[in-house]
Amino acid sequence: MRLKDNNLFKQQCFVGGKWVSAADGAVITVTNPADDSVVGAVPKLGRKEIAEAVDAAEKAWAPWKSLRPLQRSEILRRWHSLIAENIDDLAMIMTMEQGKPLAEARGEIMLGMSYITWYAEEGRRVYGETIPSPWAGKQPMTIRQPIGVTAAITPWNFPMSMIARKASPALAAGCPMIIKPASMTPFSALAMAELAARAGVPAGILSVVTGDAAVIGEELCANAKVRKLTFTGSTEVGKKLMAGCASTVKKLSMELGGNAPMIVCADADIKQAVAGTMGCKFRNAGQTCICVNRLIVHENVHDQFVAGLVEQAKAIVTGNGLEAGVTQGPMITSSAFAAMQTLVDDAVAKGAKIALGGKADPKGGRLYLPTVLTDVTPEMRVFREEIFGPIAPVIRFKTEKEALELANDTEYGLASYVYTRDLGSFYRIAEALDYGMVGVNEVALAAGEVPFGGVKFSGLGREGGRQGIEDYMETKYILLGGLAS
């Protein structure tokens, strides 16, 4: 790996301010999805070692929460600066383990940095309140206090920005955090920990542990010292974690599966809608929770939209993310790659037509061609399931009511999109879409300043914005009496 700073590539866990290996020497091998070459190996920690990481976090909590918010802010700002200084190395590490093109990796890192700067300031604005009293001689008030030790389980598709989005509000609030990154992409998390230590984050405040997901998850859920768990991943796993946390009554935030619709109205700017689809559907090879999953297009502009989308998608360059000019990398695993063909075959068997792609890339490996399907119906798996790949299903509609019924016909409710130039349509559709987020003539939803999260089976809680720090704090009510003269 060609890095300017080789110390950013860590093959040990970071626990209590120390780089450690598994007591029994067990490791997990990490491979590059572009060619299956070995990137490195990380420790496979056991449950006892995870408990020790929790103990280290609890020990470090008291002095960390006692710091003034400005002091924590300054440390977070130094972390941000070090990430910016090392962005080329961080992008290289991410592309090697995750597969996305270097330009996308840099974009993800910059998004993650926006959360760190936001919470470096937002931690200084965690206000309590004085409440107009219903009693004479008494004054009710509230203060906000850090919840305690927190834990984060992060996904492979955004191995850096998910950490920044979770760790920065926790640290800003005065909480320690233990991060369990995906076993397929641990090196970005470990590099982030190295930079956090250089920035002055005290020992035990930010730890990164790797190992078997079930083993680590069980300990984090059952350990009463962990007061808050945040998870980004599948709905199936999220449900198990929620059940596991019931015995210790933890605070939870869950960003789970998605099935994002995009409604393209008859009056939409089709060029703009196609550009939005390209940026949303094929980013990260479609392996994104807020990628548009179903394109619901008015019959009057359907053919124009499909023609424009096919033309644009043909320009996508697939390949190894390290190669110049590549705009779409490989699928993360062989099973994810195989799932694409299964979805296409199911759709075609039920009447869908392939306008583009629909098969493995002749270049080989885990590259799947950008695919556009038409004549898609609700009976097809591509309509019902989260695709998580470069397949764009297009569905016709006639009326606004029909479009909304199609869009809301899912158990998920994370992101949704609508393209229209009519003010009335914008308001009606945005209000009626049963999702946590709606992009109107825009698909770039995430930023440090705004809340991110879903409803229904897409999870609970919000990350980003002023709401993102609230899940790491408790509201304490204080009643001050004896004030009567």
Side-chain angles (χ1 to χ4, degrees), residues 18 29 33 36 47 121 199 313 321 341 343 351 362 455 475 482:
K18 299 178 181 178
T29 300
D36 284 323
R47 187 161 179 171
E121 290 303 312
Q341 198 59 54
L343 289 172
V455 298
T475 299

Side-chain angles (χ1 to χ4, degrees), residues 269-336:
D269 181 326
I270 299 303
K271 184 177 180 180
Q272 186 183 44
V274 168
T277 303
M278 291 298 301
C280 189
K281 172 72 261 185
F282 297 107
R283 180 169 62 106
N284 201 18
Q287 300 171 116
T288 304
C289 56
I290 62 171
C291 273
V292 59
N293 216 62
R294 296 165 296 148
L295 292 154
I296 302 169
V297 184
H298 193 277
E299 60 182 4
N300 290 354
V301 294
H302 174 276
D303 292 351
Q304 180 187 356
F305 176 85
V306 170
L309 182 59
V310 168
E311 181 183 3
Q312 292 291 317
K314 284 180 178 178
I316 292 174
V317 179
T318 58
N320 188 320
L322 296 176
E323 297 173 0
V326 168
T327 54
Q328 179 183 305
M331 305 298 293
I332 188 68
T333 62
S334 297
S335 59

Side-chain angles (χ1 to χ4, degrees), residues 62-82:
W64 179 247
K65 70 176 179 179
S66 69
L67 292 179
R68 289 178 289 112
L70 179 59
Q71 291 174 297
R72 292 195 293 266
S73 174
E74 290 170 347
I75 292 173
L76 285 171
R77 286 188 174 279
R78 287 198 293 270
W79 192 27
H80 174 278
S81 296
L82 287 169

Side-chain angles (χ1 to χ4, degrees), residues 96-445:
M96 288 287 288
E97 64 179 351
Q98 201 277 338
K100 66 179 62 178
L102 281 170
E104 276 196 37
R106 288 176 62 90
E108 178 188 335
I109 294 164
M110 293 175 68
L111 173 61
M113 289 164 58
S114 77
Y115 288 96
I116 297 173
T117 51
W118 171 256
Y119 286 111
E121 290 303 312
E122 196 65 12
R124 302 170 63 190
R125 294 189 287 265
V126 181
Y127 304 126
E129 61 182 349
T130 56
I131 301 168
S133 180
W135 308 290
K138 303 177 185 178
Q139 177 59 60
M141 63 183 69
T142 64
I143 60 173
R144 308 296 296 279
Q145 295 179 305
I147 193 169
V149 177
T150 67
I153 300 176
T154 59
W156 53 262
N157 57 340
F158 289 96
M160 185 276 180
S161 63
M162 290 295 109
I163 289 171
R165 195 158 79 186
K166 296 175 188 298
S168 55
L171 270 58
C175 299
M177 173 167 276
I178 299 159
I179 298 168
K180 192 281 174 193
S183 294
M184 292 175 286
T185 57
F187 296 118
S188 291
L190 294 167
M192 290 278 285
E194 167 66 17
L195 293 176
R198 295 181 191 180
V201 175
I205 294 301
L206 185 68
S207 293
V208 176
V209 297
T210 59
D212 182 86
V215 171
I216 295 177
E218 286 172 6
E219 178 58 32
L220 294 177
C221 289
N223 196 313
K225 295 175 183 176
V226 178
R227 298 309 312 143
K228 161 40 187 302
L229 177 70
T230 173
F231 169 72
T232 296
S234 71
T235 298
E236 179 184 7
V237 174
K239 289 179 180 179
K240 292 178 180 178
L241 291 171
M242 292 175 74
C245 287
S247 63
T248 50
V249 197
K250 298 189 198 308
K251 182 177 279 192
L252 300 172
S253 58
M254 298 270 157
E255 184 206 323
L256 307 178
N259 189 359
M262 177 187 288
I263 297 175
V264 181
C265 298
D267 68 324
D269 181 326
I270 299 303
K271 184 177 180 180
Q272 186 183 44
V274 168
T277 303
M278 291 298 301
C280 189
K281 172 72 261 185
F282 297 107
R283 180 169 62 106
N284 201 18
Q287 300 171 116
T288 304
C289 56
I290 62 171
C291 273
V292 59
N293 216 62
R294 296 165 296 148
L295 292 154
I296 302 169
V297 184
H298 193 277
E299 60 182 4
N300 290 354
V301 294
H302 174 276
D303 292 351
Q304 180 187 356
F305 176 85
V306 170
L309 182 59
V310 168
E311 181 183 3
Q312 292 291 317
K314 284 180 178 178
I316 292 174
V317 179
T318 58
N320 188 320
L322 296 176
E323 297 173 0
V326 168
T327 54
Q328 179 183 305
M331 305 298 293
I332 188 68
T333 62
S334 297
S335 59
F337 172 76
M340 296 302 100
Q341 198 59 54
T342 300
L343 289 172
V344 170
D345 291 346
D346 172 81
V348 170
K350 294 173 181 175
K353 295 181 175 61
I354 299 174
L356 181 70
K359 60 183 179 180
D361 194 310
K363 295 175 183 176
R366 294 202 286 269
L367 297 172
Y368 198 84
L369 289 174
T371 296
V372 178
L373 300 176
T374 61
D375 295 344
V376 171
T377 64
E379 292 72 34
M380 299 171 187
R381 290 180 59 186
V382 288
F383 184 95
R384 293 285 162 199
E385 300 176 17
E386 185 175 24
I387 296 170
F388 236 63
I391 300 173
V394 185
I395 304 102
R396 294 176 185 263
F397 78 90
K398 293 183 179 180
T399 66
E400 184 178 298
K401 180 175 181 292
E402 179 189 5
L404 285 168
E405 288 175 350
L406 288 166
N408 289 333
D409 186 14
T410 175
E411 62 189 7
Y412 298 106
L414 187 56
S416 58
Y417 309 93
V418 56
Y419 276 82
T420 178
R421 287 182 282 195
D422 180 75
L423 181 61
S425 296
F426 140 64
Y427 189 81
R428 288 192 308 272
I429 294 173
E431 187 177 45
L433 283 167
D434 196 8
Y435 293 81
M437 299 178 286
V438 182
V440 181
N441 299 325
E442 182 55 68
V443 296
L445 297 176

